[in-house]
Amino acid sequence: MDALHITGIRFAEVLQSGPPRLEKFWISLTSLADPKCIFTVCFPLAYFLDRKVGVSVLWIGLVSEWLNVVLKWFLFGERPFWWIHESGFASKEPVALHQFPVSCETGPGDPSGHCMITGAALWPLVTALTALASKRSRSLVVKLSPFGTYALLLLALGLSRVFVLAHFPHQVASGILVGAALGWGLQTRTPAARAPGFFVATALALGLSSLALHSLVMAAGIDIDW
């Protein structure tokens, strides 16, 4: 695992050695694409365009947020910013890395929540835009542009997370893959006909189940708050 971490650190060094003007871009992207935006921006916009798509974005965002927390508890992913010091790597080899205000994220890092939750929740919106583009145009480029934009966004978001030392590359890759799979799998299982109270009750149930699972794992002697 150390070899994977070291490779990730070297990749982060390459990213940070790029043109200085890119620094603002990476930091802005990692801040603007925070998972909170799924609920505060993407859901309202999707709901305005199409109620079913909006509900699907909300539902998948809710489930993926919960699942990301659970996966992080069991995968125990290191964070690059902390790992280089705790592992002693920084004292053994020269490390040319810069710290940013968003670098000091705590808690396990695998899979990346930014990539997983964003990738999952945007899936129904992207498929809806693809269907719309297919109806309006015969051009293959136009038809594939929503998914092309989706892929580029997730790639750029993943690179921004590595750039600010919040995640290793393999954590970003797992987040993207799990998020896309989750979006694809849950899209057809969206309870679109349910009343708002159902989603409130589901959110409470997921929150309480997380607390219960946290207590059980801690009681078993596994410190998931390390």
Side-chain angles (χ1 to χ4, degrees):
M1 202 64 185
D2 281 349
L4 193 60
H5 288 151
I6 293 172
T7 302
I9 293 299
R10 295 311 182 194
F11 183 69
E13 287 181 319
V14 172
L15 280 179
Q16 289 196 1
S17 66
R21 63 178 177 274
L22 282 177
E23 179 178 314
K24 184 176 292 185
F25 170 76
W26 293 127
I27 295 176
S28 298
L29 181 60
T30 200
S31 300
L32 292 173
D34 187 276
K36 292 192 295 291
C37 293
I38 294 298
F39 304 100
T40 59
V41 178
C42 297
F43 162 63
L45 287 176
Y47 192 88
F48 175 76
L49 295 173
D50 184 277
R51 179 187 179 279
K52 186 175 181 180
V53 175
V55 172
S56 187
V57 169
L58 176 64
W59 173 251
I60 296 175
L62 180 68
V63 175
S64 60
E65 181 90 48
W66 172 81
L67 184 59
N68 181 256
V69 172
V70 174
L71 286 175
K72 282 180 175 177
W73 283 346
F74 287 95
L75 294 178
F76 292 106
E78 297 276 358
R79 298 273 188 173
F81 175 77
W82 304 105
W83 181 83
I84 58 175
H85 300 291
E86 293 176 350
S87 66
F89 180 75
S91 62
K92 298 175 184 176
E93 297 189 37
V95 180
L97 289 172
H98 303 287
Q99 176 186 352
F100 305 98
V102 292
S103 295
C104 305
E105 291 194 25
T106 58
D110 194 17
S112 164
H114 277 64
C115 294
M116 177 178 165
I117 299 165
T118 301
L122 288 184
W123 185 274
L125 183 58
V126 171
T127 53
L129 291 174
T130 300
L132 181 62
S134 298
K135 290 180 181 179
R136 299 289 179 88
S137 175
R138 295 181 180 180
S139 171
L140 184 61
V141 174
V142 174
K143 292 178 181 179
L144 295 179
S145 59
F147 270 103
T149 303
Y150 170 80
L152 288 175
L153 172 63
L154 290 182
L155 176 61
L157 178 58
L159 291 175
S160 76
R161 301 302 288 158
V162 176
F163 180 88
V164 300
L165 306 181
H167 291 289
F168 288 99
H170 70 276
Q171 297 171 347
V172 164
S174 64
I176 292 174
L177 293 175
V178 173
L182 197 60
W184 174 80
L186 290 178
Q187 182 179 4
T188 57
R189 296 173 175 80
T190 299
R194 294 281 190 167
F198 169 80
F199 296 97
V200 175
T202 301
L204 289 173
L206 292 177
L208 291 174
S209 67
S210 298
L211 292 174
L213 179 60
H214 182 278
S215 299
L216 287 173
V217 174
M218 294 290 283
I222 303 175
D223 183 12
I224 57 178
D225 292 330
W226 62 273

